[in-house]
Amino acid sequence: MSETGLTSGDFTEVAEPFRLFAAWLEDATKSEINDANGVALATVDAEGMPDVRMVLLKGFDESGFVFYTNFESAKGREILGNMKAAMCFHWKSLRRQVRVRGPVEIVTEAEADAYYATRPRGSRIGAWASKQSRPLESRFALEKAVAEYTARYPIGEIPRPKYWSGFRIVPQTIEFWHDRPFRLHDRIVFSRNTQGGWDKTRLYP
Ligand SMILES: Cc1cc2nc3c(=O)[nH]c(=O)nc-3n(C[C@H](O)[C@H](O)[C@H](O)COP(=O)(O)O)c2cc1C
C-alpha cells in the first residue's frame, strides 16, 4: 500500500494523472537505489532519426515535466528543431512505467535562474566548462576548462550560461503501466481533451 493510498490495484480508478504521478514518484524515491527522477528522454533529429538518453526530472506540475540541459547539446538542438519530445520512466523496484509525450516549451529565465542557483558550485562551473555533446580532445582539456572557469568565478555569483536552461514537456498523453501476472499488465492512458481536461482510456497490455 502506498502512503498516498494509490495502490497498484486501484491506480486505474484515478481521474487525473498528476496526483498519480506524484504518488508513484514518491514511492520510487523510497524504493529505487538512486535517481528515482531519472528518465529516458526521446527526441527526433532533423532527419527524423530518434535519439534517447537519460535526464533528471527537476520539476513537474499540471503545466508539464521539466528538465535542464545544454541547449547546444544534441538533445538541445533536436528539441529546438521541432519542439517535441517524449519521456519514459521505469522504476524497476516497483515494476512501474510512466510515458509522457507532447510539445516542448522553454522554461522562463526566472525559473532557469532559480534552479541554476540551487546547483552545487562545481555543477555551475561544469555548465560553463562543458561543450556538451561536442568532441572533446582529452580529459585534460575538460579539466583545463574547469580550472579556467573556476579562476574566472572564484567567489560569489556564477551567472547561468545563456545556452543552459530548462525544457518543459507539456503532456498531451501520460500513460501509466503496472506489472501484473502473466504479462496481463494494467495500462491507463490519459489524453488531454479540447476542454483542457483529461480523457482516460484503458489499453490492452
Ligand atoms: C541518470 C542520468 C541522469 C542524467 N541527467 C542529465 C540531465 O538532467 N541533463 C543533461 O543534460 N544530461 C543528463 N545526463 C547525461 C545525458 O544522458 C547525456 O549523456 C547528455 O545530456 C548528452 O546527451 P545528448 O548528446 O543526447 O544531448 C544524465 C545521465 C544519466 C545516466
Side-chain angles (χ1 to χ4, degrees):
M1 166 76 81
S2 102
E3 283 174 14
T4 54
L6 296 166
T7 62
S8 57
D10 68 9
F11 83 88
T12 62
E13 300 304 316
V14 304
E16 65 81 43
F18 290 99
R19 245 190 84 226
L20 180 58
F21 180 79
W24 280 23
L25 181 61
E26 189 188 327
D27 289 345
T29 303
K30 292 174 192 147
S31 62
E32 290 293 307
I33 55 168
N34 58 38
D35 292 338
N37 59 337
V39 58
L41 170 78
T43 53
V44 174
D45 74 12
E47 280 75 50
M49 180 71 83
D51 207 352
V52 64
R53 81 294 285 154
M54 300 300 290
V55 295
L56 295 176
L57 183 76
K58 287 296 173 179
F60 75 93
D61 60 20
E62 300 201 4
S63 58
F65 293 76
V66 175
F67 62 93
Y68 288 88
T69 194
N70 184 319
F71 279 28
E72 296 172 356
S73 67
K75 79 182 89 45
R77 284 180 280 113
E78 287 161 5
I79 291 175
L80 294 170
N82 62 17
M83 298 308 278
K84 293 185 186 112
M87 282 180 160
C88 182
F89 297 85
H90 177 218
W91 296 300
K92 292 169 84 77
S93 59
L94 300 171
R95 299 176 190 275
R96 288 174 179 167
Q97 170 180 251
V98 175
R99 296 163 67 181
V100 176
R101 301 175 77 199
V104 175
E105 295 174 352
I106 297 172
V107 304
T108 64
E109 298 284 300
E111 200 174 344
D113 286 342
Y115 172 65
Y116 186 74
T118 69
R119 303 181 85 219
R121 200 169 177 84
S123 304
R124 282 178 278 155
I125 293 285
W128 282 102
S130 175
K131 297 184 176 68
Q132 193 178 54
S133 312
R134 281 145 290 173
L136 171 62
E137 178 193 316
S138 64
R139 182 79 201 176
F140 176 72
L142 177 61
E143 285 165 6
K144 192 161 156 269
V146 169
E148 280 165 10
Y149 283 105
T150 305
R152 187 182 302 184
Y153 302 115
I155 48 163
E157 292 278 293
I158 302 173
R160 177 173 58 86
K162 65 177 187 325
Y163 54 78
W164 193 97
S165 186
F167 288 117
R168 173 180 284 107
I169 302 187
V170 180
Q172 270 177 351
T173 60
I174 307 181
E175 185 198 311
F176 294 84
W177 178 104
H178 188 267
D179 176 84
R180 298 290 297 270
F182 307 112
R183 311 259 167 223
L184 299 176
H185 314 299
D186 278 329
R187 290 179 70 187
I188 294 290
V189 61
F190 290 90
S191 309
R192 212 186 278 273
N193 60 35
T194 49
Q195 293 85 51
W198 294 96
D199 294 329
K200 188 173 90 172
T201 311
R202 188 185 277 273
L203 302 178
Y204 279 98

